[in-house]
């Protein structure tokens, strides 16, 4: 297991340079990591348990089991009836939810600070004592299939995303949808869910994050009482997933669906993620995405494609470096109505080629950096969002030191760094280019 | 936390709330005019106007507006609802005057450049196309149209395509002239803000405007209706509406607690009965929306064509059952959720700025959170059951269905089910 704090001291408190909040961390004897983010402005806490397991850790052929299990976690335990978890949270004026990604599964409640004890009692209970029957499995499978209908099959953009990811990753399990392929969801059974649960839902695979009106000492006392007695899973190794081989050829997709009202061209490139202790490349790519697409008006792609020419009604770039394994860098163009996708793609390529010649505008870079500095202040004013970003980063293999270093790394990125990152990332062999529209269009020779 | 309200002699209001410990602020102008203030031939103009907000003023072109805010790390946005239009920004403490300057410039000196109008027309037409392709959006528009047929409150915010194609500069400036009077604008700011500074700025910038009489708003009259649209979709979208209290009605709190207990979250009746016990859907919820003179309680679910009949039957049975057996525990739970939702929402500066602006628009003052909590606390189980009964006995249902509706499900059938 990667330690979330490299120094591994029993308790370390640090004030992050740009932030007012104090973050501290410690590890329970059973291996459960605990992070406390203090914010005493309101008598509220966010209690989150993040498991270092997600859709990319599923056994082959069992796609969707991580997300399915997230649903089952509300079914009940020896002490709680099905549905009672949410009932208790609601009766105590709280809000609860859960989410699954490729790299993590997380559960959170937001409650008055004096209800933290109760939340920990229930969350610790369902970490090891979940109960569900074959009948629960049948009912919940219907719910999950309906969820897939609603969120994926009803949404052509989501269907395209699924196909694009499958084409993007030749080997990494990021090529599987989080919700799962329909035929595999239909076949998931109680044994699959239980095996996954027993293996991964354990204190030594979890990170507890408590943010809000609490002290580290209070959290330690409660965490030791509730999570401390839970048994770890023996022999749980650090995640090792199949890695990408070199990509030798661009993949091109033509995705046609009559429900698509607004056609677009989207290209994504395989890109490095933030690596612990080596986040510089990801910092440069983060800034590249800002320069190309951070603002609907002042960024390079908007300027060149929407204002200097009328090729597009929208054009932007995206990159999310917080990922356990390789991630993607993307660009897209939504052409002006009536423009063929072929021309749109050419316009997008021209805009990027011009940018590669012209380099980064110094004023724009300054503007982006001041936005990021202001963003730090806004983040600080939203403790729940902050806690969530810690959870995502920590389950993506980063440490608290990496999180603390990130804002300064972004500020240190130079125009040269950005151009070098662009040179590296814009390699068509690593790309998937998709044309998405109501019907297929011809590609001009 | 201190709320301060000041009214200029022409009726323009400034409301602020200081939030100790915050280094940023949310500041904006809320205009008491939205889609329902449009005459039929103007339908869509309030939203069009909002789109033009960042497209240039007499002093700044679109790029300069964006740069002014981005240079200081802020962001700016706008939205249109049926009764309000809001223009707001999030900035650091020292940049509040700048945000005020940009927003007031947008409201007072819009350029309405013909080229920009053409560009935005294209964007809005795309937006209309997208809304039609998003079944769980469009179904609420249909429900609203059928609940308030041939009325301003029933019309869509985006407006019909043919009107959007025809709007020009005169239409935009005409709506501003009619509706953006000083007594209908509220400058609202929350976070790290200085009330006196904003009053001075408002006086200097808006003090010269003369007040004008507000055009009368067409009274809403809930009728109820039905729309069933067959389409080959993955799911049937089911929306059922009933008339509810308006936002000044004393029953509004009981109605909100009722919908919370009925379908407000994972512990609610509909969620437990329809989803958790029977697996008939992924999404199901109930909500109460309120307007100046009417309101609507809505139940929404997405399910398969074969199961929509069962889903409707269970929903009807839960609606009927709740009149007699809604328990104190359920009411207390919904009450706790409602209070917590309100109090937790108060942590964000944007939510606070929005809340105080709305309160001033509705009540002319800002009730304290304690006052609201007291009202929520005073709702009894009997109140909730009475509201549930009133809803079923006094209001005709509105039904909207969209998708592969395989069964003979109609409004008449639902009405019959509710009676027996």
């Amino acid at each position: 297991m990667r330690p979330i704090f490299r120094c591994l001291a029993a308790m370390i408190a640090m004030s992050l340079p740009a932030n007012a909040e104090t973050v501290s961390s410690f590890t329970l004897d059973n291996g459960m990591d605990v992070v406390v983010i203090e914010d005493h402005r309101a008598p509220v806490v966010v209690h989150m348990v993040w498991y270092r397991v997600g859709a990319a850790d599923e056994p082959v052929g069992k796609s969707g089991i991580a997300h399915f299990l997230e649903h089952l976690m509300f079914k009940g335990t020896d002490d709680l009836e099905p549905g009672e978890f949410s009932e208790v949270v609601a009766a105590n004026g709280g809000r609860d939810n859960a989410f699954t990604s490729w790299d993590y599964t997380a559960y959170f409640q937001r409650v008055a600070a004096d209800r933290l004890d109760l939340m920990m009692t229930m969350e610790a209970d369902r970490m090891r004592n979940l109960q569900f029957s074959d009948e629960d499995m049948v009912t919940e499978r219907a719910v999950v299939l309906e969820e897939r209908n609603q969120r994926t099959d009803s949404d052509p953009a989501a269907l395209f995303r699924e196909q694009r990811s499958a084409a993007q990753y030749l080997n990494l399990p990021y090529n599987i949808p989080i919700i799962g392929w329909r035929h595999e969801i239909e076949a998931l059974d109680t044994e699959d869910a239980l095996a996954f649960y027993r293996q991964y839902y354990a204190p030594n695979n979890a990170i507890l994050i408590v943010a809000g009106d609490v002290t580290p000492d209070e959290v330690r006392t409660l965490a030791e009482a509730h999570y401390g007695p839970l048994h770890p899973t023996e022999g749980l190794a650090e995640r090792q997933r199949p890695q990408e081989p070199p990509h030798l050829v661009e993949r091109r997709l033509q995705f046609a669906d009559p429900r698509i009202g607004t056609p677009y061209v989207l290209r994504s490139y395989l890109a490095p993620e933030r690596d612990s202790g080596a986040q510089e490349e990801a910092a440069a790519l983060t800034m590249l995405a800002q320069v190309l697409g951070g603002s609907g008006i002042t960024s390079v792609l908007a300027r060149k494609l929407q204002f200097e020419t009328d090729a597009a009604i929208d054009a932007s770039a995206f990159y999310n470096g917080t990922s356990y394994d390789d991630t993607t860098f993307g660009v897209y163009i939504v052409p002006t109505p009536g423009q063929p996708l072929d021309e749109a793609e050419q316009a997008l390529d021209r805009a990027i080629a011009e940018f590669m010649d012209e380099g980064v505008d110094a004023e724009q870079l300054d503007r982006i950096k001041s936005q990021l500095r202001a963003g730090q202040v806004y983040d600080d004013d939203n403790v729940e969002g902050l806690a969530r970003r810690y959870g995502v980063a920590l389950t993506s293999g980063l440490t608290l030191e990496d999180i603390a270093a990130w804002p300064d790394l972004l500020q240190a990125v130079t125009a040269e760094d950005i151009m070098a990152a662009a040179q590296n990332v814009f390699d068509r062999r690593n790309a998937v280019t998709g044309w998405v529209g109501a019907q297929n269009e011809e590609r001009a020779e | 936390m201190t709320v301060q309200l000041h009214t200029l002699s022409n009726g323009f209001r400034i409301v602020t709330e200081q939030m100790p410990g915050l280094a940023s602020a949310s500041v904006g102008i809320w205009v008491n005019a939205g889609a329902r203030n449009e005459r039929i031939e103007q339908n869509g103009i309030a939203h069009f106007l909002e789109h033009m907000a960042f497209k240039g003023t007499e002093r700044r072109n679109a790029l300069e507006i964006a740069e002014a805010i981005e240079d200081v790390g802020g962001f700016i946005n706008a939205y249109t609802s049926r009764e309000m239009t809001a223009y707001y920004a999030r900035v650091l403490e020292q940049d509040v005057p700048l945000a005020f300057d940009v927003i007031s410039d947008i409201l007072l000196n819009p350029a309405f450049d013909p080229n920009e109008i053409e560009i935005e027309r294209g964007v809005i037409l795309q937006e209309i196309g997208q809304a039609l392709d998003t079944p769980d959006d469009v179904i609420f528009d249909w429900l609203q149209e059928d609940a308030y047929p041939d009325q301003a409150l029933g019309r869509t915010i985006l407006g019909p395509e043919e009107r959007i194609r025809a709007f020009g500069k005169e239409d935009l400036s005409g709506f501003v002239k009619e509706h953006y009077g000083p007594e209908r604008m509220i400058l609202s700011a929350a976070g790290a803000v200085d009330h006196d500074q904003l009053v001075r700025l408002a006086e200097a910038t808006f003090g010269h405007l003369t007040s004008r009489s507000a055009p009368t708003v067409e009274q809403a009259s809930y009728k109820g209706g039905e729309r069933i649209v067959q389409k080959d979709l993955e799911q049937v979208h089911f929306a059922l509406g009933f008339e509810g209290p308006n936002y000044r009605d004393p029953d509004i709190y009981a109605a909100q607690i009722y919908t919370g207990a009925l379908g407000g979250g994972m512990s609610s009746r509909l969620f437990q009965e329809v989803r958790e016990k029977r697996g008939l859907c992924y999404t199901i919820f109930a909500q109460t929306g309120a307007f100046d003179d009417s309101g609507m309680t809505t139940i929404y679910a997405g399910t398969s064509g074969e199961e929509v009949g069962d889903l409707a039957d269970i929903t009807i049975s839960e609606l009927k059952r709740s009149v007699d057996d809604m328990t104190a525990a359920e009411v207390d739970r919904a009450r706790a959720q409602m209070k917590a939702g309100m109090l937790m929402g108060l942590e964000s500066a944007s939510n606070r700025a929005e809340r105080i602006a709305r309160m001033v628009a509705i009540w002319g003052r800002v009730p304290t959170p304690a006052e609201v909590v007291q009202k929520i606390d005073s709702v009894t189980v009997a109140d909730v059951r009475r509201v549930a009964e009133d809803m079923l006995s006094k209001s005709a249902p509105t039904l909207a269905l969209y998708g592969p509706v395989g069964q003979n499900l109609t409004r008449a059938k639902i009405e019959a089910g509710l009676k027996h």
Side-chain angles (χ1 to χ4, degrees), chain A residues 45-154:
Chain A
V45 288
V46 177
H47 170 253
M48 293 177 158
V49 171
W50 293 73
Y51 294 97
R52 293 181 183 90
V53 67
D57 304 299
E58 294 166 338
V60 173
K62 305 289 181 191
S63 68
I65 193 68
H67 167 259
F68 202 122
L69 185 56
E70 176 216 308
H71 278 238
L72 293 170
M73 284 287 279
F74 293 87
K75 286 300 175 197
T77 66
D78 294 340
D79 298 328
L80 285 171
E81 289 294 310
E84 195 180 342
F85 193 103
S86 299
E87 263 182 38
V88 174
V89 175
N92 283 278
R95 196 154 54 72
D96 72 325
N97 212 337
F99 32 87
T100 309
S101 179
W102 281 283
D103 294 332
Y104 56 81
T105 315
Y107 301 84
F108 87 88
Q109 303 88 34
R110 191 180 154 137
V111 286
D114 61 359
R115 309 298 157 95
L116 182 59
D117 190 6
L118 179 63
M119 294 306 116
M120 282 201 195
T121 308
M122 296 198 299
E123 197 62 82
D125 184 26
R126 70 175 173 176
M127 185 182 289
R128 279 315 218 180
N129 303 316
L130 186 66
Q131 302 281 347
F132 55 87
S133 61
D134 288 343
E135 201 183 309
D136 289 331
M137 202 68 198
V138 171
T139 312
E140 209 52 38
R141 192 185 297 124
V143 172
V144 172
L145 287 169
E146 211 46 63
E147 180 178 359
R148 200 192 140 88
N149 274 341
Q150 182 179 323
R151 296 170 66 160
T152 307
D153 299 322
S154 295

Side-chain angles (χ1 to χ4, degrees), chain A residues 381-439:
Chain A
D381 286 348
N382 173 6
V383 71
E384 186 175 331
L386 199 66
R388 193 163 168 157
R389 280 193 299 114
Y390 272 80
V392 173
L394 295 173
T395 50
S396 299
L398 298 169
T399 65
L400 290 177
E401 283 175 340
D402 295 323
I403 299 170
W406 182 245
D408 287 342
L409 284 173
L410 291 176
Q411 292 294 329
V413 170
T414 63
E416 291 70 35
D417 297 335
I418 294 173
M419 296 316 290
Q423 283 292 355
N424 288 336
V425 84
F426 289 142
D427 180 340
R428 287 288 277 269
R429 291 171 303 177
N430 290 330
V432 176
T433 305
W435 286 14
V436 183
Q439 66 271 317

Side-chain angles (χ1 to χ4, degrees), chain B residues 101-354:
Chain B
D101 184 50
V102 172
I103 292 170
S104 49
D105 191 25
I106 284 169
L107 263 75
L108 291 174
N109 314 304
F112 298 139
D113 176 79
N115 292 327
E116 297 286 0
I117 292 178
E118 286 317 309
I119 293 172
E120 280 320 293
R121 194 193 311 285
V123 174
I124 294 168
L125 289 170
Q126 290 291 324
E127 210 179 318
I128 292 172
Q130 270 168 7
L132 288 173
D133 289 341
T134 315
D136 48 354
D137 265 3
V138 79
I139 197 157
F140 290 101
D141 276 347
W142 292 348
L143 199 72
Q144 187 86 11
E145 275 177 343
D146 293 325
Y148 304 98
D150 305 316
Q151 299 173 43
L153 190 60
R155 292 196 280 267
T156 64
I157 292 169
L158 293 178
E161 204 179 310
E162 61 275 15
R163 302 235 185 265
I164 302 305
R165 289 195 189 283
F167 286 142
K169 183 174 177 171
E170 302 308 313
D171 301 295
L172 292 161
S173 47
F175 191 79
V176 170
K177 212 169 165 185
E178 239 178 299
H179 294 285
Y180 280 44
E183 63 291 307
R184 292 177 72 188
M185 290 196 254
I186 298 161
L187 168 65
S188 176
V193 293
D194 175 346
H195 180 77
D196 295 337
Q197 179 193 47
L198 282 167
V199 170
R200 279 195 305 276
L201 288 170
E203 179 68 62
T205 312
F206 291 92
H208 69 283
L209 300 179
T210 47
S211 52
R212 50 195 106 160
S213 61
T216 47
V217 182
E218 182 192 354
Q219 278 293 111
S221 163
Y222 176 97
K223 303 272 190 222
E226 170 184 67
R227 186 169 328 189
I228 297 170
V229 180
Q230 289 282 354
K231 197 173 176 189
D232 184 20
L233 302 173
E234 299 299 325
Q235 288 191 303
V236 174
H237 299 266
F238 167 92
L240 183 63
F242 296 91
E243 185 173 23
N246 69 50
Y247 47 53
R248 288 192 199 84
D249 189 320
D251 270 342
I252 186 73
Y253 295 101
Q256 283 177 342
I257 288 175
Y258 169 59
T259 38
L262 183 70
M266 290 164 75
S267 61
S268 68
R269 279 193 177 194
L270 289 174
F271 191 93
Q272 286 298 321
E273 291 298 322
V274 179
R275 172 172 152 166
E276 292 300 288
K277 287 196 186 150
R278 296 179 179 84
L280 292 178
C281 66
Y282 171 64
T283 300
I284 184 160
F285 62 81
Q287 63 187 16
T288 287
F291 303 101
D292 189 54
D293 48 2
S294 184
M296 185 153 63
T297 292
T298 309
I299 295 154
Y300 166 84
T303 188
S304 68
E306 302 81 58
E307 288 172 330
V308 68
D310 288 349
L311 184 140
D313 287 345
I314 298 160
T315 302
I316 290 166
S317 126
E318 288 306 317
L319 283 168
K320 282 158 63 179
R321 200 161 69 83
S322 61
V323 173
D324 299 318
D325 73 353
M326 187 62 86
T327 65
E330 287 171 285
V331 169
D332 284 343
R333 194 159 65 226
R335 189 199 315 278
Q337 268 183 304
M338 191 176 159
K339 283 195 284 191
M342 185 196 70
L343 295 173
M344 286 176 182
L346 295 181
E347 281 169 48
S348 131
S350 325
N351 287 355
R352 276 199 189 242
E354 161 107 29

Side-chain angles (χ1 to χ4, degrees), chain A residues 98-263:
Chain A
F99 32 87
T100 309
S101 179
W102 281 283
D103 294 332
Y104 56 81
T105 315
Y107 301 84
F108 87 88
Q109 303 88 34
R110 191 180 154 137
V111 286
D114 61 359
R115 309 298 157 95
L116 182 59
D117 190 6
L118 179 63
M119 294 306 116
M120 282 201 195
T121 308
M122 296 198 299
E123 197 62 82
D125 184 26
R126 70 175 173 176
M127 185 182 289
R128 279 315 218 180
N129 303 316
L130 186 66
Q131 302 281 347
F132 55 87
S133 61
D134 288 343
E135 201 183 309
D136 289 331
M137 202 68 198
V138 171
T139 312
E140 209 52 38
R141 192 185 297 124
V143 172
V144 172
L145 287 169
E146 211 46 63
E147 180 178 359
R148 200 192 140 88
N149 274 341
Q150 182 179 323
R151 296 170 66 160
T152 307
D153 299 322
S154 295
D155 179 1
L159 286 171
F160 171 67
R161 251 195 318 275
E162 232 175 47
Q163 297 295 313
R164 177 171 65 82
S165 297
Q168 182 77 65
Y169 295 101
L170 303 179
N171 206 26
L172 263 168
Y174 291 160
N175 57 10
I176 285 167
I178 294 167
I179 195 163
W181 300 114
R182 174 178 294 276
H183 66 287
E184 293 186 351
I185 302 171
E186 283 167 348
L188 294 174
D189 63 24
T190 313
E191 228 5 82
D192 297 329
L194 274 177
F196 198 80
Y197 172 71
R198 288 191 190 116
Q199 172 77 0
Y200 294 112
Y201 279 55
N204 55 331
N205 199 40
I207 302 165
L208 169 67
I209 299 181
V210 180
D213 192 16
V214 279
T215 65
D217 284 340
E218 288 163 359
V219 174
R220 179 188 280 276
T221 305
L222 291 172
E224 279 175 349
H226 295 298
Y227 294 105
L230 301 177
H231 290 294
T233 295
E234 298 298 332
L236 197 61
E238 190 174 320
R239 291 186 270 182
Q240 291 290 349
R241 297 164 178 164
Q243 297 296 300
E244 288 298 289
H247 290 192
L248 304 180
V249 62
E250 179 189 4
R251 281 126 284 160
R252 297 190 64 88
L253 309 178
Q254 285 224 6
F255 186 81
D257 186 316
R259 294 173 293 182
I260 294 166
T262 311

Side-chain angles (χ1 to χ4, degrees), chain B residues 48-125:
Chain B
F48 204 129
L49 186 61
E50 173 228 310
H51 267 249
M52 293 304 297
F54 309 116
K55 294 312 209 169
T57 68
E58 288 159 20
R59 276 162 56 200
R60 298 177 173 98
N61 65 27
L63 189 65
E64 285 161 345
I65 292 175
E67 284 176 350
I69 291 288
E70 288 177 15
D71 277 345
V72 299
F75 51 85
I76 188 164
N77 212 338
Y79 69 81
T80 312
S81 72
R82 288 201 159 78
E83 297 187 324
M84 286 204 129
T85 310
Y87 304 84
Y88 58 95
R90 183 83 193 264
V91 287
L92 301 184
E93 183 171 9
Q94 67 272 18
D95 301 315
V96 169
L98 171 84
F100 170 83
D101 184 50
V102 172
I103 292 170
S104 49
D105 191 25
I106 284 169
L107 263 75
L108 291 174
N109 314 304
F112 298 139
D113 176 79
N115 292 327
E116 297 286 0
I117 292 178
E118 286 317 309
I119 293 172
E120 280 320 293
R121 194 193 311 285
V123 174
I124 294 168
L125 289 170

